[in-house]
Amino acid sequence: MGTGVAIAIAGQGMALSSDYMIKIAPMLSATAAGVEVSAVADKALILSLITGLTALVLAYFRLRKTFQSPSMRHLQHWMKLNGTEQVTATRTQSAAEAKTSLFFAILVPVAFLAVVVYMVYATFSGADSLEGGAGAALIGGVAILILIAAATVYNWRQSLNQVSEHLIEGFTFAFRAMGPVIPIAGFFFLGSGEISARIFLLEEGVQAPSFLFELVEAGQQFIPDSPLFAGFGLLIVGMVTGLDGSGFSGLPLVGALSGALAPTVGVDAATLAAIGQMGAVWVGGGTLIAWSSIVAVAGFAKVSVIELVRQCFIPVMSGLILSTLIAIWLF
C-alpha cells in the first residue's frame, strides 16, 4: 500500500499537477485566465511541490507502522494476490542465471528511459508527436517485447504459455479492479457535456447537458470577494471539475473564473489559476477518485483501488489546503 500511495502522490499528483515540462495544463489554465503560461506554470510547480511533499510526509507517518522488513514470505504473499501463482522457494542461482538476471535488471529501466527520452524529444522537436493512445501503445509494446524476451530466456519451450498467463493475469486484475468503479464513474460522466452527448446518443449539433459544470457555474456568484474565500473557492471548483476522471477538462473553466475573480479580490489571476489547477489535476489526475488513472497504480501495487484512494485522501487534502494558504499569503 505504501508503494502505491508514494507512486500516486509523486507521479499522478506532483508530476501531472505542475506539468512543467509539457505545459499542457498551464496552457489551458493561462489561456482562459488571460495571463502568461509561464506565470501559471511557475506557480503551479511550487504549489505541486508543497502539496506533494506535505502529502508524502503525512502518508509516511500514517503508514509507517505497516512497513516490514524485506522477506521472501512477503513476496510470496504479494505474488499470490489476485490469483498470481506463488513464488517458489529461493535457491542458489547459477552463474549464467545471475548474468541473465543482471542483464534484464539493467535492460528494463534503460528501455523505458529510452521511451521517455523519445517522447520528450518528439514533443519538443516537432517530430512525429505521440498523440492520443500512441504513447500508451509505445509503452505497452516495449513492455510486451521485454516480457517475451524474459520468458524466452527463462524457458523457451514454455515461453508462449508464460507470456499468455501473464497477460491473462494483468487483464483479470484490471477488470476486477475496475468492476466497482465503472458504475460510480458513469454518474459523473453524465456531468460532462462532451461525454453525456455520447451516453444520451444525441445527434451531432444538439446541445448536450453538462450538469457538473453547470453546477459549478451556478455557484460562482456565491463566492465572497475575499482572497481567502476566492482561493479556496477556486480549489473546490477545480476539485469538482476533476471528478470526471480527467483533471484537464475543467481547466478552461477554472482559468476563466480566475480571470473574472482576480480584479475583485485583489489576487493575481495566475495564482488563482494555479490553485484551481491543483484542485482539478490532483483529484482528476489520479489521487482522489477511483475511476482515474490511479487504477494503473493499484494494478502495479496489487492493492484495492478504493483503499488506495482512501489512504491518499487525508495526506493530499492536507497538502492542497496548505499550498492554497501559502499561495494566498505569498503570491
Side-chain angles (χ1 to χ4, degrees):
M1 180 60 69
T3 301
V5 171
I7 294 175
I9 292 175
Q12 306 288 99
M14 295 176 70
L16 282 180
S17 63
S18 62
D19 195 13
Y20 196 74
M21 294 298 296
I22 309 299
K23 288 187 172 62
I24 297 298
M27 181 191 67
L28 294 173
S29 302
T31 302
V35 296
E36 293 291 333
V37 175
S38 59
V40 177
D42 293 341
K43 293 178 180 179
L45 176 62
I46 297 174
L47 296 183
S48 68
L49 291 174
I50 296 173
T51 304
L53 292 176
T54 302
L56 286 173
V57 171
L58 291 178
Y60 169 77
F61 284 104
R62 282 170 54 86
L63 296 172
R64 63 175 179 173
K65 293 183 179 179
T66 65
F67 296 164
Q68 300 180 11
S69 301
S71 170
M72 179 56 65
R73 177 171 56 87
H74 301 321
L75 178 60
Q76 291 175 348
H77 174 71
W78 181 76
M79 291 296 292
K80 285 194 299 182
L81 295 175
N82 307 298
T84 306
E85 293 183 0
Q86 183 173 347
V87 179
T88 57
T90 56
R91 61 181 177 84
T92 304
Q93 287 185 325
S94 64
E97 290 176 335
K99 291 181 179 179
T100 303
S101 300
L102 178 61
F103 171 75
F104 279 100
I106 297 174
L107 174 64
V108 172
V110 169
F112 284 105
L113 178 61
V115 171
V116 173
V117 171
Y118 173 75
M119 295 176 69
V120 173
Y121 169 77
T123 301
F124 287 100
S125 66
D128 295 334
S129 59
L130 300 175
E131 299 179 354
L138 176 61
I139 296 174
V142 171
I144 291 178
L145 290 176
I146 294 176
L147 174 61
I148 294 174
T152 303
V153 172
Y154 179 74
N155 186 349
W156 67 271
R157 290 186 177 88
Q158 298 294 326
S159 59
L160 295 181
N161 291 333
Q162 291 179 354
V163 171
S164 300
E165 290 174 0
H166 288 306
L167 291 177
I168 291 172
E169 290 169 3
F171 284 122
T172 301
F173 179 83
F175 283 110
R176 184 182 291 112
M178 286 298 295
V181 172
I182 293 176
I184 302 173
F187 289 101
F188 287 94
F189 289 153
L190 289 173
S192 174
E194 181 180 351
I195 301 178
S196 64
R198 298 199 297 267
I199 295 176
F200 292 128
L201 300 178
L202 299 179
E203 297 180 358
E204 187 176 355
V206 177
Q207 181 65 33
S210 182
F211 304 115
L212 185 63
F213 291 93
E214 290 173 0
L215 177 64
V216 172
E217 292 175 346
Q220 174 188 354
Q221 57 182 324
F222 298 105
I223 300 178
D225 294 337
S226 165
L228 183 64
F229 283 102
F232 279 97
L234 262 298
L235 177 65
I236 294 173
V237 168
M239 294 175 67
V240 172
T241 61
L243 292 176
D244 66 347
S246 167
F248 284 68
S249 60
L251 293 181
L253 174 60
V254 170
L257 291 177
S258 301
L261 290 175
T264 60
V265 299
V267 179
D268 184 19
T271 300
L272 293 178
I275 293 174
Q277 180 176 312
M278 291 298 104
V281 181
W282 274 92
V283 172
T287 58
L288 296 184
I289 56 174
W291 50 92
S292 63
S293 55
I294 197 174
V295 172
V297 179
F300 167 78
K302 291 190 177 182
V303 295
S304 167
V305 64
I306 304 296
E307 184 61 27
L308 180 58
V309 170
R310 289 196 186 104
Q311 294 295 337
C312 289
F313 181 79
I314 293 179
V316 170
M317 286 301 302
S318 301
L320 288 173
I321 293 173
L322 178 61
S323 65
T324 302
L325 290 173
I326 293 177
I328 297 172
W329 178 46
L330 292 180
F331 300 151

